Amino acid sequence: MNIKDIIEQKLAEVILNVYQLKDIQIEIQENKTEYEGDFTIVTFPLVKQLKKNPESIGVELGQALTEQTDLLESFNVIKGFLNVKVKNQFFVDQFKTVSDQFSNIEKRNETVMVEYSSPNTNKPLHLGHVRNNLLGFSVAQILMEAGYDVIKSQIINDRGIHICKSMLAWEKFGKGETPETDHVKGDKFVGNYYVKFDQEYKKEVSELVEQGVSEEQAKKDAPLMKEAQQMLLDWENGDEKVRNLWNEMNSWVYKGFAETYKRLGVDFDQVQYESNTYILGKDLIQEGLEKGVLYQKEDGSVWCDLTDEGLDQKLLLRSDGTSVYMTQDLGTAVERFKENNLQKLIYTVGNEQDYHFQVLFKVLKKLGYEWADQLYHLSYGMVELPNGKMKSREGTVVDADELMQDMFDIAKSKSEELGKLENFTEVEKNINYESVGIGALKYFMLKVDPKKKMLFNPEESIDFNGNTGPFIQYTYARIQSLLAKASFVVKETDAIELSQSEKELIMQLSNYKAVVARAAESLSPALVANYLYDLVKSYNSFYQNNPILIQEDENIKQYRLNLSDLTAKTIQKSLRLLGIETVNRM
C-alpha cells in the first residue's frame, strides 16, 4: 500500500468518525502547487451533503486527521483545498516497503491468452504489424507482472485467395527463382509476387474494360482471378502440386518472419494455423445449421441472422463451400478454449475490425458457448505516416525490417553527432545503436493510448530529451555510471530527514504496482510509459537538488545511492514491460 492509499484509508475512517458518512469518493492529488504540503485533498464532494462551505470542511478534516492519526506533520486550507504535509517517517517506511516490490508478485490463478501479430503468409510484416506486435507483447508482459498466467499466441493466416495470388504469380512469372537465388528475405520475396499479381491483374481488367466489359464484371472475369480462385479450390481439395507449392512458399515466409520477430523482440507460446482451424470452423457451421441457429440460402451459402442484436446478416460459408475469415475465427476460438483453461482471450487487432469481432462474439454466444463473454477485442488505432496510408497490394507499405534499420541508422547518426560514444568499441556502439533505435520505436508506439490513431515520425522518436525512449534509457545509464563511480553496494542506513524532491521520488517509486494494476485492467501500456516519464523527471529533479558523491555524511550518501539504485531497477523493470532493453553506458 503506497502513501496515497494510506491517506485514502485514514481519510475514509476520519470521515466516518466525524460525519458518519461512508463510501464518499474524495480525490487526493499529489500537491503540485506552491502551497506547502505533499498531497491535496479536494473537499468539494462533501459540501452538498454537509451543507457547509469547503474551507470549514477542510479545517475540520485537517484537525481530525492530525488528532486521530499519526499521519500529518501539518496542514493548510486554501480556497477549499486541504493541503497536507505527511510526516517524514511515513516516507522512510514507504521506501523500505517499496524496496521489496519486485520480489513478491501475487498470483491470481487466472490464465489469459493474448493474440497478436497474426500475419498473412503473402507479404512481409509492415508498420501496422509493428504497432500490433509491440502492443500485444507489452500487454502480455504487463498482465504477467500483475500476477496472471499468460499465453502469448498468434494465428497465422496461411491459406485463402490472397495466399493463392502470390503462389500463382510465382508459378507464372517466377522462373524457378527462390529467396536464396535472389538473395532476398523469404517474406519479402513472396510479397513481391503478391504485388506482381496485382499489377498483372489490373492489366487484364483494363484490357477487358477496353473491350466493352463493365469494370465490375471485368474484375470477376479476369483470367488471373479465375485461376487464383481455382487454385484455392484445388488447395481445399488437397491437390498435391498446389499443396507442395504452398508448403514451400510458406516455409520461405516463416523463415523471414522469425528474423523480424527476433529483432523486434517479441515471441509466442502458441502458434495456430488457419489451414488447420478453418476445417473446425466448417464443423461448427454444420452444428449451427442443425441447431437452427444458422440458416442456408438457396445457393448453398450459410448465414447467421444478427438483426435482433442490432447487427445484420453475416455470411459464414460461401455458396461454393469455401470458408470466410469469420468461419476460421469461430473454429480458432473453440480450439483455444478446448486446449487451454482460459479465463480471458484478448484479440489485439486494429479498429477497422471492430464490427468483425462484434459479430464473432455474438455468433459464438448464439452457438451456445458461454465463454464468449470472456472474449475481448483490444481495438487500436491505425498508424499513419507523414506521407499517408499504406497499401500492401501496391507495394507501398512501410516494411518492418526497413523501419527497424532506419531506427538503427538514425540512432547512430544522432549519437555520433552528440559525441556520446567516443570511447566505445564498434561492438559496444552497435549494441547501443540497436538498443536506442529499437527502444525509441517501441516507446513512441506505446506511449500513445491504444485506442488512438497515431502519426509515427522516426526522427522525433529519437531525442535524448523529452518524453522519449532514449531520454529514459539515458537516465538509467546515468544512474549506472553514478553507482559505478561510488563502488555501490546496497547497505542498510539510518533514517534521514528527506528533502521534498526525495519525497516526490519515493512517492513515484511507490506508485509502480498501482500503475501496473491499472495498465493490466485497461490493457494500456501507455500508462506504464507515462509513469516512466514522470519517474525519470522526478529522479532528475532529485539528482539536481541533492548532492550524492560529494555528500560528506556517509549515511545520507548511502541513502541517496540506495534511492538511485531502486530508481534504476524500477526504470529497467518498467521498460521491460514495454519490451525495451537498457544499456549501462550511453
Side-chain angles (χ1 to χ4, degrees), residues 300-348:
S301 60
V302 179
W303 298 72
C304 183
D305 186 357
L306 296 171
T307 52
D308 59 336
E309 302 277 359
L311 302 175
D312 58 10
Q313 298 182 47
K314 182 64 183 178
L315 173 68
L316 298 180
L317 206 64
R318 298 187 187 95
S319 57
D320 63 3
T322 57
S323 58
V324 295
Y325 272 124
M326 186 63 66
T327 324
Q328 299 154 33
D329 282 351
L330 290 168
T332 305
V334 170
E335 185 76 3
R336 283 170 167 167
F337 275 84
K338 179 181 174 183
E339 298 295 326
N340 304 281
N341 178 25
L342 300 180
Q343 278 68 58
K344 193 168 191 176
L345 169 54
I346 298 166
Y347 295 90
T348 310

Side-chain angles (χ1 to χ4, degrees), residues 182-201:
D182 282 18
H183 305 290
V184 177
K185 194 162 164 279
D187 50 343
K188 290 183 176 56
F189 180 84
V190 173
N192 291 338
Y193 283 99
Y194 182 62
V195 174
K196 179 67 173 174
F197 177 94
D198 190 63
Q199 292 169 344
E200 297 299 324
Y201 170 62

Side-chain angles (χ1 to χ4, degrees), residues 111 113-118 151-157 268 270-274 277 280 328-349 357 360 371 375-376:
T111 302
M113 178 176 281
V114 183
E115 177 198 289
Y116 54 95
S117 194
S118 304
I151 300 170
K152 295 173 285 187
S153 74
Q154 67 165 327
I155 172 77
I156 295 182
N157 306 309
F268 306 91
Q270 289 185 13
V271 178
Q272 288 178 296
Y273 300 89
E274 279 194 6
T277 59
L280 178 59
Q328 299 154 33
D329 282 351
L330 290 168
T332 305
V334 170
E335 185 76 3
R336 283 170 167 167
F337 275 84
K338 179 181 174 183
E339 298 295 326
N340 304 281
N341 178 25
L342 300 180
Q343 278 68 58
K344 193 168 191 176
L345 169 54
I346 298 166
Y347 295 90
T348 310
V349 182
F357 284 99
L360 175 65
W371 46 253
L375 304 175
Y376 182 82

Side-chain angles (χ1 to χ4, degrees), residues 145-178:
E145 184 68 5
Y148 293 93
D149 293 317
V150 176
I151 300 170
K152 295 173 285 187
S153 74
Q154 67 165 327
I155 172 77
I156 295 182
N157 306 309
D158 64 339
R159 61 163 295 283
I161 190 68
H162 50 296
I163 310 298
C164 290
K165 289 176 181 179
S166 295
M167 291 164 58
L168 184 62
W170 182 84
E171 199 171 55
K172 285 184 168 293
F173 312 112
K175 300 176 183 176
E177 295 171 343
T178 68

Side-chain angles (χ1 to χ4, degrees), residues 456-498:
F456 179 70
N457 188 320
E459 290 283 347
E460 283 182 17
S461 71
I462 299 185
D463 192 331
F464 289 88
N465 295 295
N467 191 5
T468 66
F471 174 63
I472 290 162
Q473 288 173 311
Y474 180 69
T475 301
Y476 176 85
R478 170 193 266 184
I479 297 173
Q480 295 308 306
S481 175
L482 168 72
L483 297 176
K485 285 178 184 175
S487 301
F488 171 74
V489 177
V490 177
K491 295 176 186 174
E492 288 290 327
T493 63
D494 296 328
I496 68 169
E497 188 64 33
L498 297 166

Side-chain angles (χ1 to χ4, degrees), residues 198-243:
D198 190 63
Q199 292 169 344
E200 297 299 324
Y201 170 62
K202 284 179 177 176
K203 288 180 188 175
E204 291 184 350
V205 171
S206 295
E207 288 171 4
L208 288 170
V209 170
E210 286 175 7
Q211 294 168 20
V213 179
S214 71
E215 185 173 351
E216 185 180 351
Q217 192 61 43
K219 287 179 178 179
K220 295 177 183 177
D221 293 345
L224 270 177
M225 184 58 73
K226 287 188 171 182
E227 286 184 77
Q229 290 167 342
Q230 183 58 50
M231 182 176 273
L232 177 59
L233 286 172
D234 291 342
W235 182 92
E236 293 199 0
N237 291 327
D239 182 277
E240 185 178 359
K241 182 185 173 187
V242 172
R243 286 281 177 143

